[in-house]
Amino acid sequence: MSLRQRILLAFTGCTALVALLFGVSSFLFAYHTEDRLFEALLQAEASYVQQQLDAGITAAPRLAFVKYYADNTDLPDGIAAILQTAPERREFAAANGKHYHLMPVLEGWLVADVSEQLVVRSLRPQLLLFLLSLLAVVVVVAAGLAFLLARRVLKPLQKLTQVVDKAGQSPADTGAALLSSAEFAPDEIGRLAQTLQKAWCRIADFIKREQQFTQDVSHELRTPVTISQGALTLLSHTQLTVQQAQYVGRLQSAQQQISQSIETLMLLAREQLPAVRPVKLLALVEQSVLQQQHKLIGKPVELRLHIAADTIIMINETALMILLNNLLGNAFEYTNAGIICIEFQQQLLTVQDSGSGIDAAIREQVFQSGVKGQNSLGMGVGLSLVKRLCDKWHIGYQLHSDASGTCISLKFPSN
């Protein structure tokens, strides 16, 4: 429900409740007043009858509907039997529609047959119709007032919402500028607008600093990476021993990973995703395996690939390479013996290893930055980076780990 609907419902609900309580109170007041009237009449008749009895005169009440009974057994409609069980009762409703009020005197009872004098009973349909009509009118008036009040109260809030919605639609329409140009009364909504303006200014400054930092880091890292890559390329064309060639190969692989990491970090810093293109999954998996193969040297580990050669997925190649390097790097690093299986079926990429598994204490937080196991030599950012990339590219991810190994699944969107 909208805020306007809630205000309207609250007003009409409270009005209906108050009207209902007023109607019930009106009926109770009418019945109570009627009973007090009969009681007062009987009290006056009781004084008159008592005077007659004291003078030795036959008791004869003045009111036609009031009668004197000297003995309980003479009371009409079984009232005597009821008085035996409830001697304090003074009002009786008989089965034949009769209604009686009693008043004790020194020698007997005064009984008033008020069946014809029950004004509230005869007026009850008209009174009920009047109260219902009054309820309808009051509810309609309350709804109208609530609508006008909600319209007046929510108008500045709607204005604030329009300003927020408009922010960012063009470079000139920043939230802070739009809020400063809009006028708000110095009330709660005005203070909210001022708070939003200050928050927008802080966010804009923060984003500007982050963009500048990303640009500076990208520029400062790319230059030495390019220089070292060129030096490694020249070094690889010189006369090297077998061991030196292996070292140069590992350095080139590390240089490639550094370049990919820089590209990925720049990608995550951008608001919009780069264009996707068809990527052959098997080729990138094999490339990632070659980059991470040094982690399997000397380990009795069997690597199984179950990926069709013609498998194509739509994604940014750099982002996919970072995902594979982190997942395969962790599997190769923490599997000392056994089997590592990489499988792709129905848009689901699964990396299953037979390592020692992830500590139970950190399994729920393993995708958070800085969370790592006791035996980890890294910084605890690999799986956090995987999570951020998956969120960026709308890739579902799931992790299952126990003492028999770890399995991470990535669900890619349908092409």
Side-chain angles (χ1 to χ4, degrees):
M1 296 180 64
S2 65
L3 191 56
R4 176 176 297 178
Q5 291 173 334
R6 292 180 182 180
I7 294 176
L8 187 62
L9 180 61
F11 262 73
T12 54
C14 290
T15 302
L17 179 60
V18 171
L20 180 63
L21 293 176
F22 173 76
V24 174
S25 301
S26 299
F27 273 103
L28 292 177
F29 177 77
Y31 279 116
H32 179 76
T33 303
E34 189 177 59
D35 289 341
R36 297 289 75 79
L37 175 62
F38 293 143
E39 184 178 346
L41 292 175
L42 282 175
Q43 188 69 42
E45 289 298 302
S47 299
Y48 178 73
V49 168
Q50 190 62 49
Q51 292 175 2
Q52 290 178 329
L53 293 175
D54 292 341
I57 304 173
T58 302
R62 292 169 295 184
L63 297 176
F65 61 90
V66 178
K67 293 183 179 182
Y68 171 72
Y69 295 93
D71 193 278
N72 287 2
T73 57
D74 298 331
L75 293 175
D77 296 326
I79 295 177
I82 300 177
L83 285 175
Q84 291 180 357
T85 58
E88 300 298 327
R89 186 169 175 179
R90 296 295 179 264
E91 186 175 354
F92 300 87
N96 55 3
K98 294 290 186 177
H99 201 89
Y100 301 99
H101 279 259
L102 273 68
M103 175 68 66
V105 292
L106 188 60
E107 299 177 4
W109 294 86
L110 286 181
V111 178
D113 183 359
V114 297
S115 305
E116 301 298 329
Q117 283 72 33
L118 294 177
V119 179
V120 177
R121 175 188 292 182
S122 60
L123 293 179
R124 186 165 53 191
Q126 294 86 342
L127 182 59
L128 183 60
L129 179 61
F130 170 77
L131 291 176
L132 290 177
S133 302
L134 183 62
L135 172 63
V137 172
V138 171
V139 168
V140 170
V141 173
L145 291 176
F147 178 80
L148 295 176
L149 179 62
R151 185 177 180 180
R152 182 178 180 87
V153 171
L154 297 180
K155 186 176 180 180
L157 186 59
Q158 292 174 345
K159 183 179 179 181
L160 179 61
T161 304
Q162 292 174 357
V163 171
V164 175
D165 290 339
K166 189 178 179 182
Q169 293 182 1
S170 66
D173 293 338
T174 61
L178 291 173
L179 285 173
S180 60
S181 62
E183 295 183 0
F184 294 96
D187 52 13
E188 290 79 359
I189 297 179
R191 290 195 292 271
L192 175 61
Q194 293 177 358
T195 304
L196 284 176
Q197 182 181 2
K198 294 178 182 178
W200 238 315
C201 291
R202 291 196 300 268
I203 293 173
D205 293 339
F206 173 76
I207 293 176
K208 186 176 181 180
R209 291 195 304 269
E210 288 295 310
Q211 290 176 341
Q212 189 63 46
F213 172 77
T214 304
Q215 293 175 359
D216 294 341
V217 169
S218 175
H219 178 270
E220 296 300 323
L221 287 180
R222 282 178 175 173
T223 300
V225 167
T226 302
I227 294 174
S228 59
Q229 182 63 46
L232 287 173
T233 302
L234 294 175
L235 184 61
S236 63
H237 290 84
T238 60
Q239 188 68 30
L240 300 174
T241 64
V242 176
Q243 188 174 15
Q244 289 173 338
Q246 292 178 350
Y247 291 155
V248 171
R250 292 183 61 180
L251 287 173
Q252 288 178 331
S253 177
Q255 285 287 110
Q256 186 178 4
Q257 292 186 40
I258 292 175
S259 299
Q260 292 172 351
S261 299
I262 294 174
E263 292 295 331
T264 301
L265 294 176
M266 290 293 295
L267 182 149
L268 289 173
R270 298 190 189 103
E271 183 177 358
Q272 296 182 348
L273 294 175
V276 299
R277 66 182 189 88
V279 176
K280 290 187 176 181
L281 179 60
L282 182 59
L284 254 65
V285 171
E286 291 175 343
Q287 183 179 346
S288 179
V289 169
L290 292 177
Q291 292 181 7
Q292 307 294 329
Q293 65 175 344
H294 62 277
K295 298 180 180 179
L296 293 179
I297 295 177
K299 296 181 179 179
V301 176
E302 178 185 353
L303 182 62
R304 297 177 181 177
L305 289 179
H306 300 287
I307 302 176
D310 58 348
T311 300
I312 301 293
I313 58 175
M314 299 296 294
I315 196 174
N316 178 266
E317 184 173 338
T318 302
L320 180 57
M321 197 65 190
I322 293 295
L323 286 173
L324 293 174
N325 283 343
N326 278 280
L327 297 182
L328 299 186
N330 286 340
F332 291 2
E333 180 75 29
Y334 299 108
T335 303
N336 296 320
I339 299 173
I340 297 177
C341 181
I342 307 171
E343 184 177 3
F344 185 84
Q345 287 185 357
Q346 298 179 350
Q347 299 299 115
L348 185 66
L349 177 65
T350 303
V351 180
Q352 172 77 56
D353 65 57
S354 57
S356 58
I358 300 174
D359 296 340
I362 64 170
R363 285 175 190 167
E364 299 295 331
Q365 299 86 26
V366 73
F367 286 105
Q368 298 179 10
S369 181
V371 177
K372 62 177 184 177
Q374 296 180 352
N375 299 325
S376 175
L377 301 178
M379 301 296 294
V381 298
L383 289 180
S384 172
L385 186 59
V386 169
K387 177 184 180 300
R388 292 170 60 194
L389 285 171
C390 289
D391 292 339
K392 190 88 171 178
W393 290 93
H394 306 291
I395 301 172
Y397 56 91
Q398 189 174 11
L399 180 144
H400 176 75
S401 182
D402 52 29
S404 62
T406 300
C407 178
I408 296 183
S409 302
L410 302 183
K411 182 67 175 181
F412 291 88
S414 300
N415 296 333

